[in-house]
PDB file of all heavy atoms in Angstrom:
ATOM      1  N   ILE R 133       8.164 -24.393   4.727  1.00 95.00           N
ATOM      2  CA  ILE R 133       7.212 -24.317   5.807  1.00 95.00           C
ATOM      3  C   ILE R 133       7.278 -25.671   6.650  1.00 95.00           C
ATOM      4  O   ILE R 133       7.264 -25.545   7.875  1.00 95.00           O
ATOM      5  CB  ILE R 133       5.716 -24.180   5.151  1.00 95.00           C
ATOM      6  CG1 ILE R 133       5.630 -22.854   4.476  1.00 95.00           C
ATOM      7  CG2 ILE R 133       4.604 -24.583   6.255  1.00 95.00           C
ATOM      8  CD1 ILE R 133       4.231 -22.729   3.910  1.00 95.00           C
ATOM      9  N   THR R 134       7.483 -26.640   6.022  1.00 95.00           N
ATOM     10  CA  THR R 134       7.737 -27.996   6.656  1.00 95.00           C
ATOM     11  C   THR R 134       8.959 -27.927   7.644  1.00 95.00           C
ATOM     12  O   THR R 134       8.853 -28.284   8.769  1.00 95.00           O
ATOM     13  CB  THR R 134       7.896 -29.140   5.702  1.00 95.00           C
ATOM     14  OG1 THR R 134       6.884 -29.070   4.664  1.00 95.00           O
ATOM     15  CG2 THR R 134       7.886 -30.442   6.471  1.00 95.00           C
ATOM     16  N   ALA R 135      10.051 -27.245   7.167  1.00 95.00           N
ATOM     17  CA  ALA R 135      11.237 -27.173   7.983  1.00 95.00           C
ATOM     18  C   ALA R 135      10.944 -26.285   9.185  1.00 95.00           C
ATOM     19  O   ALA R 135      11.196 -26.662  10.260  1.00 95.00           O
ATOM     20  CB  ALA R 135      12.259 -26.661   7.073  1.00 95.00           C
ATOM     21  N   THR R 136      10.185 -25.139   8.930  1.00 97.00           N
ATOM     22  CA  THR R 136       9.917 -24.264   9.955  1.00 97.00           C
ATOM     23  C   THR R 136       8.995 -24.986  10.925  1.00 97.00           C
ATOM     24  O   THR R 136       9.168 -24.777  12.184  1.00 97.00           O
ATOM     25  CB  THR R 136       9.138 -23.100   9.389  1.00 97.00           C
ATOM     26  OG1 THR R 136       9.835 -22.546   8.279  1.00 97.00           O
ATOM     27  CG2 THR R 136       8.843 -22.048  10.460  1.00 97.00           C
ATOM     28  N   ASP R 137       8.136 -25.709  10.451  1.00 97.00           N
ATOM     29  CA  ASP R 137       7.269 -26.511  11.416  1.00 97.00           C
ATOM     30  C   ASP R 137       7.865 -27.340  12.456  1.00 97.00           C
ATOM     31  O   ASP R 137       7.644 -27.298  13.538  1.00 97.00           O
ATOM     32  CB  ASP R 137       6.255 -27.305  10.589  1.00 97.00           C
ATOM     33  CG  ASP R 137       5.034 -27.649  11.401  1.00 97.00           C
ATOM     34  OD1 ASP R 137       4.373 -26.659  11.841  1.00 97.00           O
ATOM     35  OD2 ASP R 137       4.698 -28.882  11.538  1.00 97.00           O
ATOM     36  N   GLU R 138       8.984 -28.031  11.906  1.00 96.00           N
ATOM     37  CA  GLU R 138       9.747 -28.809  12.837  1.00 96.00           C
ATOM     38  C   GLU R 138      10.379 -28.044  13.984  1.00 96.00           C
ATOM     39  O   GLU R 138      10.223 -28.437  15.144  1.00 96.00           O
ATOM     40  CB  GLU R 138      10.825 -29.570  12.119  1.00 96.00           C
ATOM     41  CG  GLU R 138      11.493 -30.597  12.887  1.00 96.00           C
ATOM     42  CD  GLU R 138      12.685 -31.293  12.066  1.00 96.00           C
ATOM     43  OE1 GLU R 138      12.591 -31.321  10.792  1.00 96.00           O
ATOM     44  OE2 GLU R 138      13.710 -31.762  12.689  1.00 96.00           O
ATOM     45  N   LEU R 139      10.874 -26.933  13.702  1.00 96.00           N
ATOM     46  CA  LEU R 139      11.476 -26.094  14.771  1.00 96.00           C
ATOM     47  C   LEU R 139      10.453 -25.419  15.591  1.00 96.00           C
ATOM     48  O   LEU R 139      10.738 -25.256  16.857  1.00 96.00           O
ATOM     49  CB  LEU R 139      12.482 -25.142  14.166  1.00 96.00           C
ATOM     50  CG  LEU R 139      13.698 -25.670  13.434  1.00 96.00           C
ATOM     51  CD1 LEU R 139      14.635 -24.567  12.762  1.00 96.00           C
ATOM     52  CD2 LEU R 139      14.440 -26.740  14.225  1.00 96.00           C
ATOM     53  N   LEU R 140       9.483 -24.991  14.959  1.00 97.00           N
ATOM     54  CA  LEU R 140       8.401 -24.368  15.724  1.00 97.00           C
ATOM     55  C   LEU R 140       7.790 -25.123  16.691  1.00 97.00           C
ATOM     56  O   LEU R 140       7.547 -24.924  17.774  1.00 97.00           O
ATOM     57  CB  LEU R 140       7.321 -23.777  14.636  1.00 97.00           C
ATOM     58  CG  LEU R 140       6.099 -23.185  15.349  1.00 97.00           C
ATOM     59  CD1 LEU R 140       6.426 -21.943  16.150  1.00 97.00           C
ATOM     60  CD2 LEU R 140       5.059 -22.739  14.273  1.00 97.00           C
ATOM     61  N   THR R 141       7.461 -26.503  16.296  1.00 97.00           N
ATOM     62  CA  THR R 141       6.819 -27.398  17.152  1.00 97.00           C
ATOM     63  C   THR R 141       7.690 -27.613  18.440  1.00 97.00           C
ATOM     64  O   THR R 141       7.215 -27.640  19.567  1.00 97.00           O
ATOM     65  CB  THR R 141       6.651 -28.710  16.469  1.00 97.00           C
ATOM     66  OG1 THR R 141       5.841 -28.462  15.198  1.00 97.00           O
ATOM     67  CG2 THR R 141       5.836 -29.706  17.364  1.00 97.00           C
ATOM     68  N   ALA R 142       9.042 -27.803  18.110  1.00 96.00           N
ATOM     69  CA  ALA R 142       9.966 -27.966  19.314  1.00 96.00           C
ATOM     70  C   ALA R 142       9.982 -26.809  20.287  1.00 96.00           C
ATOM     71  O   ALA R 142       9.803 -26.990  21.443  1.00 96.00           O
ATOM     72  CB  ALA R 142      11.373 -28.231  18.707  1.00 96.00           C
ATOM     73  N   ALA R 143       9.962 -25.660  19.606  1.00 96.00           N
ATOM     74  CA  ALA R 143       9.919 -24.405  20.517  1.00 96.00           C
ATOM     75  C   ALA R 143       8.686 -24.300  21.285  1.00 96.00           C
ATOM     76  O   ALA R 143       8.590 -23.851  22.378  1.00 96.00           O
ATOM     77  CB  ALA R 143      10.122 -23.172  19.608  1.00 96.00           C
ATOM     78  N   GLN R 144       7.573 -24.723  20.689  1.00 96.00           N
ATOM     79  CA  GLN R 144       6.251 -24.641  21.281  1.00 96.00           C
ATOM     80  C   GLN R 144       6.223 -25.599  22.466  1.00 96.00           C
ATOM     81  O   GLN R 144       5.838 -25.368  23.599  1.00 96.00           O
ATOM     82  CB  GLN R 144       5.124 -24.906  20.329  1.00 96.00           C
ATOM     83  CG  GLN R 144       4.858 -23.672  19.428  1.00 96.00           C
ATOM     84  CD  GLN R 144       3.934 -23.954  18.330  1.00 96.00           C
ATOM     85  OE1 GLN R 144       3.737 -25.098  17.848  1.00 96.00           O
ATOM     86  NE2 GLN R 144       3.190 -22.913  17.915  1.00 96.00           N
ATOM     87  N   ARG R 145       6.789 -26.836  22.266  1.00 96.00           N
ATOM     88  CA  ARG R 145       6.871 -27.941  23.249  1.00 96.00           C
ATOM     89  C   ARG R 145       7.605 -27.322  24.465  1.00 96.00           C
ATOM     90  O   ARG R 145       7.237 -27.661  25.599  1.00 96.00           O
ATOM     91  CB  ARG R 145       7.543 -29.072  22.638  1.00 96.00           C
ATOM     92  CG  ARG R 145       7.636 -30.258  23.632  1.00 96.00           C
ATOM     93  CD  ARG R 145       8.600 -31.400  23.229  1.00 96.00           C
ATOM     94  NE  ARG R 145       9.238 -31.392  21.952  1.00 96.00           N
ATOM     95  CZ  ARG R 145      10.519 -30.973  21.834  1.00 96.00           C
ATOM     96  NH1 ARG R 145      11.158 -30.481  22.759  1.00 96.00           N
ATOM     97  NH2 ARG R 145      11.056 -30.916  20.600  1.00 96.00           N
ATOM     98  N   ASP R 146       8.583 -26.676  24.212  1.00 95.00           N
ATOM     99  CA  ASP R 146       9.486 -26.211  25.287  1.00 95.00           C
ATOM    100  C   ASP R 146       8.958 -24.814  25.926  1.00 95.00           C
ATOM    101  O   ASP R 146       9.529 -24.182  26.659  1.00 95.00           O
ATOM    102  CB  ASP R 146      10.874 -25.977  24.878  1.00 95.00           C
ATOM    103  CG  ASP R 146      11.607 -27.193  24.283  1.00 95.00           C
ATOM    104  OD1 ASP R 146      10.867 -28.284  24.526  1.00 95.00           O
ATOM    105  OD2 ASP R 146      12.595 -27.219  23.705  1.00 95.00           O
ATOM    106  N   GLY R 147       7.804 -24.393  25.385  1.00 94.00           N
ATOM    107  CA  GLY R 147       7.223 -23.130  25.942  1.00 94.00           C
ATOM    108  C   GLY R 147       7.930 -21.889  25.538  1.00 94.00           C
ATOM    109  O   GLY R 147       7.757 -20.745  26.050  1.00 94.00           O
ATOM    110  N   TYR R 148       8.692 -21.878  24.359  1.00 95.00           N
ATOM    111  CA  TYR R 148       9.365 -20.613  23.934  1.00 95.00           C
ATOM    112  C   TYR R 148       8.367 -19.983  22.882  1.00 95.00           C
ATOM    113  O   TYR R 148       8.643 -18.813  22.650  1.00 95.00           O
ATOM    114  CB  TYR R 148      10.669 -21.024  23.305  1.00 95.00           C
ATOM    115  CG  TYR R 148      11.705 -21.522  24.166  1.00 95.00           C
ATOM    116  CD1 TYR R 148      12.369 -22.711  23.980  1.00 95.00           C
ATOM    117  CD2 TYR R 148      12.154 -20.608  25.325  1.00 95.00           C
ATOM    118  CE1 TYR R 148      13.342 -23.161  25.007  1.00 95.00           C
ATOM    119  CE2 TYR R 148      13.029 -21.012  26.150  1.00 95.00           C
ATOM    120  CZ  TYR R 148      13.624 -22.203  26.055  1.00 95.00           C
ATOM    121  OH  TYR R 148      14.741 -22.574  26.960  1.00 95.00           O
ATOM    122  N   ALA R 149       7.589 -20.747  22.156  1.00 95.00           N
ATOM    123  CA  ALA R 149       6.800 -20.117  21.138  1.00 95.00           C
ATOM    124  C   ALA R 149       5.318 -20.133  21.493  1.00 95.00           C
ATOM    125  O   ALA R 149       4.795 -21.144  22.072  1.00 95.00           O
ATOM    126  CB  ALA R 149       6.993 -20.618  19.852  1.00 95.00           C
ATOM    127  N   ARG R 150       4.521 -19.108  21.198  1.00 95.00           N
ATOM    128  CA  ARG R 150       3.198 -19.147  21.530  1.00 95.00           C
ATOM    129  C   ARG R 150       2.439 -20.384  20.823  1.00 95.00           C
ATOM    130  O   ARG R 150       2.705 -20.708  19.708  1.00 95.00           O
ATOM    131  CB  ARG R 150       2.496 -17.964  21.001  1.00 95.00           C
ATOM    132  CG  ARG R 150       3.111 -16.567  21.619  1.00 95.00           C
ATOM    133  CD  ARG R 150       2.447 -15.411  21.024  1.00 95.00           C
ATOM    134  NE  ARG R 150       3.272 -14.206  21.263  1.00 95.00           N
ATOM    135  CZ  ARG R 150       3.086 -13.420  22.357  1.00 95.00           C
ATOM    136  NH1 ARG R 150       2.235 -13.764  23.237  1.00 95.00           N
ATOM    137  NH2 ARG R 150       3.863 -12.314  22.531  1.00 95.00           N
ATOM    138  N   PRO R 151       1.583 -21.014  21.576  1.00 95.00           N
ATOM    139  CA  PRO R 151       1.093 -22.295  21.123  1.00 95.00           C
ATOM    140  C   PRO R 151       0.223 -22.176  19.880  1.00 95.00           C
ATOM    141  O   PRO R 151       0.071 -23.118  19.083  1.00 95.00           O
ATOM    142  CB  PRO R 151       0.214 -22.890  22.333  1.00 95.00           C
ATOM    143  CG  PRO R 151      -0.057 -21.680  23.155  1.00 95.00           C
ATOM    144  CD  PRO R 151       1.162 -20.752  22.921  1.00 95.00           C
ATOM    145  N   TRP R 152      -0.423 -21.103  19.633  1.00 95.00           N
ATOM    146  CA  TRP R 152      -1.328 -20.917  18.642  1.00 95.00           C
ATOM    147  C   TRP R 152      -0.718 -20.430  17.210  1.00 95.00           C
ATOM    148  O   TRP R 152      -1.412 -20.376  16.163  1.00 95.00           O
ATOM    149  CB  TRP R 152      -2.520 -19.974  19.012  1.00 95.00           C
ATOM    150  CG  TRP R 152      -1.877 -18.579  19.452  1.00 95.00           C
ATOM    151  CD1 TRP R 152      -1.820 -18.288  20.838  1.00 95.00           C
ATOM    152  CD2 TRP R 152      -1.485 -17.470  18.677  1.00 95.00           C
ATOM    153  NE1 TRP R 152      -1.215 -17.140  20.967  1.00 95.00           N
ATOM    154  CE2 TRP R 152      -0.974 -16.492  19.680  1.00 95.00           C
ATOM    155  CE3 TRP R 152      -1.360 -17.237  17.439  1.00 95.00           C
ATOM    156  CZ2 TRP R 152      -0.561 -15.326  19.268  1.00 95.00           C
ATOM    157  CZ3 TRP R 152      -0.817 -15.883  16.951  1.00 95.00           C
ATOM    158  CH2 TRP R 152      -0.418 -15.036  17.956  1.00 95.00           C
ATOM    159  N   ILE R 153       0.568 -20.322  17.317  1.00 95.00           N
ATOM    160  CA  ILE R 153       1.294 -19.948  16.022  1.00 95.00           C
ATOM    161  C   ILE R 153       1.377 -21.135  15.021  1.00 95.00           C
ATOM    162  O   ILE R 153       1.621 -22.289  15.516  1.00 95.00           O
ATOM    163  CB  ILE R 153       2.644 -19.470  16.218  1.00 95.00           C
ATOM    164  CG1 ILE R 153       2.591 -18.282  17.205  1.00 95.00           C
ATOM    165  CG2 ILE R 153       3.411 -19.123  14.974  1.00 95.00           C
ATOM    166  CD1 ILE R 153       2.635 -16.851  16.650  1.00 95.00           C
ATOM    167  N   ARG R 154       0.996 -20.916  13.765  1.00 95.00           N
ATOM    168  CA  ARG R 154       1.239 -21.997  12.817  1.00 95.00           C
ATOM    169  C   ARG R 154       2.464 -21.708  11.804  1.00 95.00           C
ATOM    170  O   ARG R 154       2.647 -20.449  11.603  1.00 95.00           O
ATOM    171  CB  ARG R 154       0.018 -22.284  11.992  1.00 95.00           C
ATOM    172  CG  ARG R 154      -1.099 -22.976  12.890  1.00 95.00           C
ATOM    173  CD  ARG R 154      -2.406 -22.984  12.000  1.00 95.00           C
ATOM    174  NE  ARG R 154      -2.863 -21.642  12.007  1.00 95.00           N
ATOM    175  CZ  ARG R 154      -3.859 -21.289  11.155  1.00 95.00           C
ATOM    176  NH1 ARG R 154      -4.489 -22.254  10.397  1.00 95.00           N
ATOM    177  NH2 ARG R 154      -4.336 -20.075  11.038  1.00 95.00           N
ATOM    178  N   SER R 155       3.027 -22.573  11.309  1.00 96.00           N
ATOM    179  CA  SER R 155       4.357 -22.459  10.649  1.00 96.00           C
ATOM    180  C   SER R 155       4.158 -21.734   9.274  1.00 96.00           C
ATOM    181  O   SER R 155       4.890 -20.924   8.880  1.00 96.00           O
ATOM    182  CB  SER R 155       5.059 -23.776  10.312  1.00 96.00           C
ATOM    183  OG  SER R 155       4.081 -24.611   9.857  1.00 96.00           O
ATOM    184  N   ARG R 156       2.933 -22.000   8.741  1.00 94.00           N
ATOM    185  CA  ARG R 156       2.554 -21.299   7.460  1.00 94.00           C
ATOM    186  C   ARG R 156       2.667 -19.802   7.663  1.00 94.00           C
ATOM    187  O   ARG R 156       3.205 -19.007   6.870  1.00 94.00           O
ATOM    188  CB  ARG R 156       1.201 -21.712   7.012  1.00 94.00           C
ATOM    189  CG  ARG R 156       0.819 -21.041   5.594  1.00 94.00           C
ATOM    190  CD  ARG R 156      -0.576 -21.501   5.197  1.00 94.00           C
ATOM    191  NE  ARG R 156      -1.179 -20.673   4.394  1.00 94.00           N
ATOM    192  CZ  ARG R 156      -0.996 -20.697   2.983  1.00 94.00           C
ATOM    193  NH1 ARG R 156      -0.244 -21.699   2.459  1.00 94.00           N
ATOM    194  NH2 ARG R 156      -1.462 -19.818   2.115  1.00 94.00           N
ATOM    195  N   GLU R 157       1.909 -19.293   8.724  1.00 94.00           N
ATOM    196  CA  GLU R 157       1.783 -18.000   8.968  1.00 94.00           C
ATOM    197  C   GLU R 157       3.170 -17.260   9.455  1.00 94.00           C
ATOM    198  O   GLU R 157       3.488 -16.159   9.114  1.00 94.00           O
ATOM    199  CB  GLU R 157       0.798 -17.662   9.944  1.00 94.00           C
ATOM    200  CG  GLU R 157      -0.633 -17.643   9.434  1.00 94.00           C
ATOM    201  CD  GLU R 157      -1.219 -18.996   9.328  1.00 94.00           C
ATOM    202  OE1 GLU R 157      -0.845 -19.839  10.169  1.00 94.00           O
ATOM    203  OE2 GLU R 157      -1.958 -19.232   8.447  1.00 94.00           O
ATOM    204  N   LEU R 158       3.908 -18.143  10.079  1.00 96.00           N
ATOM    205  CA  LEU R 158       5.221 -17.636  10.548  1.00 96.00           C
ATOM    206  C   LEU R 158       6.118 -17.461   9.392  1.00 96.00           C
ATOM    207  O   LEU R 158       6.860 -16.411   9.207  1.00 96.00           O
ATOM    208  CB  LEU R 158       5.879 -18.638  11.362  1.00 96.00           C
ATOM    209  CG  LEU R 158       7.094 -18.240  12.238  1.00 96.00           C
ATOM    210  CD1 LEU R 158       6.810 -16.847  12.975  1.00 96.00           C
ATOM    211  CD2 LEU R 158       7.454 -19.322  13.298  1.00 96.00           C
ATOM    212  N   PHE R 159       6.114 -18.436   8.259  1.00 96.00           N
ATOM    213  CA  PHE R 159       6.768 -18.171   7.163  1.00 96.00           C
ATOM    214  C   PHE R 159       6.291 -17.033   6.360  1.00 96.00           C
ATOM    215  O   PHE R 159       7.241 -16.156   5.901  1.00 96.00           O
ATOM    216  CB  PHE R 159       6.657 -19.497   6.277  1.00 96.00           C
ATOM    217  CG  PHE R 159       7.271 -19.277   4.845  1.00 96.00           C
ATOM    218  CD1 PHE R 159       8.631 -19.084   4.697  1.00 96.00           C
ATOM    219  CD2 PHE R 159       6.523 -19.182   3.719  1.00 96.00           C
ATOM    220  CE1 PHE R 159       9.238 -18.891   3.573  1.00 96.00           C
ATOM    221  CE2 PHE R 159       7.095 -19.115   2.552  1.00 96.00           C
ATOM    222  CZ  PHE R 159       8.438 -18.899   2.265  1.00 96.00           C
ATOM    223  N   LEU R 160       5.077 -16.862   6.323  1.00 95.00           N
ATOM    224  CA  LEU R 160       4.547 -15.632   5.549  1.00 95.00           C
ATOM    225  C   LEU R 160       5.117 -14.321   6.244  1.00 95.00           C
ATOM    226  O   LEU R 160       5.337 -13.364   5.660  1.00 95.00           O
ATOM    227  CB  LEU R 160       2.960 -15.637   5.634  1.00 95.00           C
ATOM    228  CG  LEU R 160       2.244 -16.640   4.683  1.00 95.00           C
ATOM    229  CD1 LEU R 160       0.913 -16.804   4.835  1.00 95.00           C
ATOM    230  CD2 LEU R 160       2.580 -16.124   3.140  1.00 95.00           C
ATOM    231  N   SER R 161       5.129 -14.426   7.639  1.00 96.00           N
ATOM    232  CA  SER R 161       5.464 -13.154   8.247  1.00 96.00           C
ATOM    233  C   SER R 161       7.105 -12.777   7.889  1.00 96.00           C
ATOM    234  O   SER R 161       7.377 -11.698   7.785  1.00 96.00           O
ATOM    235  CB  SER R 161       5.448 -13.414   9.819  1.00 96.00           C
ATOM    236  OG  SER R 161       4.107 -13.554  10.159  1.00 96.00           O
ATOM    237  N   VAL R 162       7.897 -13.959   7.911  1.00 96.00           N
ATOM    238  CA  VAL R 162       9.235 -13.706   7.516  1.00 96.00           C
ATOM    239  C   VAL R 162       9.187 -13.149   6.061  1.00 96.00           C
ATOM    240  O   VAL R 162       9.983 -12.198   5.769  1.00 96.00           O
ATOM    241  CB  VAL R 162      10.025 -15.096   7.520  1.00 96.00           C
ATOM    242  CG1 VAL R 162      11.313 -14.929   6.861  1.00 96.00           C
ATOM    243  CG2 VAL R 162      10.176 -15.592   8.867  1.00 96.00           C
TER     244      VAL R 162
END
Side-chain angles (χ1 to χ4, degrees):
Chain R
I133 293 178
T134 308
T136 305
D137 199 51
E138 188 179 333
L139 298 183
L140 174 61
T141 306
Q144 285 172 328
R145 183 195 354 100
D146 300 348
Y148 289 125
R150 305 179 193 269
W152 49 265
I153 302 266
R154 282 172 298 167
S155 48
R156 182 187 160 86
E157 281 80 31
L158 194 50
F159 173 67
L160 282 171
S161 300
V162 170

